[in-house]
Structures are given as structure tokens and as C-alpha cells.
Amino acid sequence: MSGGGAGLPPDLAAVRALPKVDLHCHLDGAVRPATLLETARAGGVPLPADTVDALLPHVRVSPACRSLDDFLATFETFYPVLSVPGVMGRAARELLLDAADDGVVHVEARFCPDLQATPQRPAEDVVLEVLEGLARGSAESGVSYGAIVCAYRPFTVEANERMVDLALAFAGKGVVGVDLAGPESLPGAPFARALERAREGGLPVTIHAGEAAGPESVREALDVLGARRIGHGCAIARDEALLARVRDEAVPLECCVTSNLQTQAVASLDVHPFDAFRRAGLAVTLNTDDPAVSGVTLSDEYLLAARTWGLSLDDLRALALAAVDAAFLDDAARAALRRRVGAPS
Ligand SMILES: [Zn+2]
């Protein structure tokens, strides 16, 4: 991989035209503000504003956001809307339409169905709705997809076993993997057995680790939870032995640069480890995390990386191809996606 330099630095149009892959995108952080407004109204859920412009400051983190608390408070504003039947399905469809507009050709959309379930609406209905929305959005946009079901650290072992059971019930029907999300101050080890069952059932596991917590959370993800990929992994930069291991074992990292700055997982772009990881030969990918809440597209993230670290369009294409390699796909689908992203398969 070259360090850039050859030719002009890519501009937004060139980055948009590059076929891209988003492996780390939370559906609940990707809902269009206009959709929140419309569906909240229809569902009788109060929001703090009644026009999109007035709502934006409440549902999108401001450039001044400098803490995880600020970041999470943004979700609280609109979270009740997502439990209204139909909203997650609509959001899933619109996610793929928006991805297509941004030149994204494949999205792995993740969500934790229990967070939108209610006594009247079981988690299974949330999954069905999301999968139907993704299928519709894909048919309309040509963007391919996989759904990742998130287990959630604050949940009980039993609740996360139910999430895994749900994921397994829809394996081969749109669900392609399982994630563990939530505050990294809570241990992942209690969910080792549930995640093992996911893997035994054919669903690979990705784990949020090394974002808020240190290198030990990444070790736990690899050694105890069987992670095939790591969400974020910023803390790997603080541990040389771990960095060498992640490189040698070719563990893909789902990097989300803007999100890391907003939550203060990383203090500033100057010290973000993305390019150090890339230069060290780690399998880095660039992703959005929560595009609507962060106010970014995947093209924005690619462009930010290009401008910050002097990456060429070829470097960016290599990142997209790394995401193809890391995607939770079977061999045939991976080969097809690789052709689409532009390299010989
Ligand atoms: Zn995430």
C-alpha cells in the first residue's frame, strides 16, 4: 500500500464515485432526521422540535461534542421514536438508499432488537421489520447488505442469549453476524458462551473493544469472545505486543474516525492511530458508526482520511478492498463484491 502522493489528492466527487463498503454502521444511529420527525408525529412520540432544522441540534452531535456523555445524550432525545412499529424498517430501507447516493455498494447494518422491542412488539418483529426494510432498500438501490444483531453489555446473560438465538434464527435470511456493543467498562466475558453458540451456528462475531476501554478489552474480545473483527480497537496503539498480534493474525479493525473524536475515544486527529495501524500493515477499514448522529457519510470519512494522512485514491480503494476481505460474506458473494469494488477477483 503506498503512502499516497501520486497524482492529485482525491476530491469529494472522486471519493463518492469510488465503490465503498461500510462494515460498522448502527441502524439506530443512521435514521434520517426527517424520518424521525415524521414517524414521531405519526406515533404520538414527543420530540423537542417540529421542523427538521430545529430538530437537527438535538439529534446530531455538534462539532463541539467532546465526550461520550454528549454523544449518548443525542440518542436519548430520539430513542423512543425507534420503538414505533415501522420506524426501524423504514430506517433500514432509507439507509441503503442513502448509501447508494454516497457510492457505498455494501453495508453491514447492526442493531440490537431488544432496544426497540416493547411488551406489544417482540424483538423478533423488530428483526423481521429491519430485514424487510433492508431487502426493499437493496432491491431499489442495488446496494447489498448483511444485518448484524448486537448483544449488549448491560443486558443479562439470558437476554443476550435471546439476542443470539434470534440472530441464529435469521442466519442465512439476512443476518450475517453478531456483535457485542455497549459500555466497555462492563465485561464481555459473561457472554462468552452465548457468542460461542453464535459461532457454532455459523455466525461470525465482531466485538466493540479498545474504544473506551484499554488493550485488555481487545485481548478479551480475541481470547474469550472469539472475535473475528474488532470494532474501533483504538487502544491497540498503546500495546506493541497486541498490535503485532492483531497484524500477524490479520484481525480486521472497523475504524470510525469522526465518531472516535466525538466520543473522545481519541483526543484529536493528530493522535488518531488509524494511519499508524495502516502503515504497520493492520487490516484497517473505514466506517461511519452512526452516520446520522455523527453527521457524516462514508465518503466524508474517506475524504477526512485522505486529507489528514495524505492518502491517494488508490490507497482509498485499498481500504475499500480491505473491507471486502473483512465483510461477513460467503466466498461467492465476496468475489462478486470484490469485482464491484474494482479489483480482479
Ligand atoms: Zn459502534
Side-chain angles (χ1 to χ4, degrees):
M1 193 182 291
S2 79
L8 293 170
D11 59 17
L12 183 59
V15 171
R16 276 209 179 121
L18 180 74
K20 296 171 294 297
V21 173
D22 195 349
L23 298 181
H24 190 128
C25 178
H26 294 264
L27 184 53
D28 51 2
V31 189
R32 294 175 182 170
T35 295
L36 287 175
L37 201 61
E38 224 178 277
T39 53
R41 225 174 253 149
V45 180
L47 280 177
D50 56 7
T51 66
V52 170
D53 283 348
L55 184 64
L56 269 182
H58 300 279
V59 297
R60 176 173 292 174
V61 297
S62 77
C65 174
R66 280 293 173 266
S67 78
L68 186 58
D69 285 348
D70 285 356
F71 194 85
L72 295 178
T74 310
F75 281 84
E76 281 167 27
T77 311
F78 66 82
Y79 224 76
V81 182
L82 305 185
S83 293
V84 175
V87 178
M88 287 292 279
R90 176 169 166 178
R93 170 180 170 264
E94 291 174 350
L95 170 67
L96 297 193
L97 301 184
D98 293 345
D101 282 346
D102 191 42
V104 176
V105 295
H106 185 78
V107 177
E108 287 184 1
R110 64 184 72 193
F111 64 110
C112 176
D114 250 10
L115 293 177
Q116 283 84 46
T118 65
Q120 294 76 36
R121 190 166 78 130
E124 183 177 4
D125 288 5
V126 179
V127 178
L128 281 166
E129 195 185 282
V130 167
L131 292 179
E132 195 184 302
L134 289 170
R136 285 183 57 203
S138 179
E140 290 172 46
S141 67
V143 175
S144 57
Y145 68 93
I148 294 176
V149 170
C150 299
Y152 191 51
R153 290 179 192 254
F155 286 174
T156 62
V157 169
E158 294 71 27
N160 278 333
E161 281 174 349
R162 282 203 310 277
M163 291 303 93
V164 168
D165 285 342
L166 206 45
L168 288 168
F170 289 95
K173 299 172 191 163
V175 172
V176 298
V178 170
D179 172 37
L180 179 63
E184 291 173 19
S185 53
L186 300 172
F191 313 116
R193 177 67 198 127
L195 295 168
E196 186 182 358
R197 282 203 302 112
R199 297 196 308 278
E200 285 169 357
L203 288 177
V205 168
T206 177
I207 304 285
H208 278 77
E211 180 188 17
E216 70 287 349
S217 65
V218 178
R219 284 208 172 80
E220 179 189 67
L222 295 173
D223 294 333
V224 182
L225 306 178
R228 188 188 292 181
R229 302 192 318 227
I230 297 293
H232 300 290
C234 307
I236 295 166
R238 312 205 303 256
D239 186 321
E240 260 179 55
L242 181 61
L243 189 144
R245 176 184 173 186
V246 167
R247 180 195 61 217
D248 294 346
E249 295 180 8
V251 179
L253 302 184
E254 305 157 2
C255 300
C256 310
V257 175
T258 294
S259 166
N260 294 156
L261 301 177
Q262 290 172 335
T263 63
Q264 280 291 278
V266 175
S268 71
L269 262 183
D270 293 342
V271 295
H272 196 287
F274 173 80
D275 201 48
F277 287 162
R278 191 183 72 92
R279 288 173 180 277
L282 274 61
V284 287
T285 65
L286 271 178
N287 308 279
T288 53
D289 209 5
D290 298 288
V293 169
S294 287
V296 297
T297 63
L298 192 55
S299 290
D300 291 335
E301 295 299 278
Y302 271 58
L303 195 60
L304 177 68
R307 288 181 174 162
T308 304
W309 295 297
L311 307 191
S312 68
L313 202 55
D314 282 348
D315 293 328
L316 298 184
R317 191 183 302 276
L319 291 174
L321 285 167
V324 173
D325 289 340
F328 292 156
L329 290 170
D330 62 30
D331 290 347
R334 192 185 317 284
L337 185 57
R338 188 172 292 123
R339 282 192 293 276
R340 212 170 163 193
V341 172
S345 58

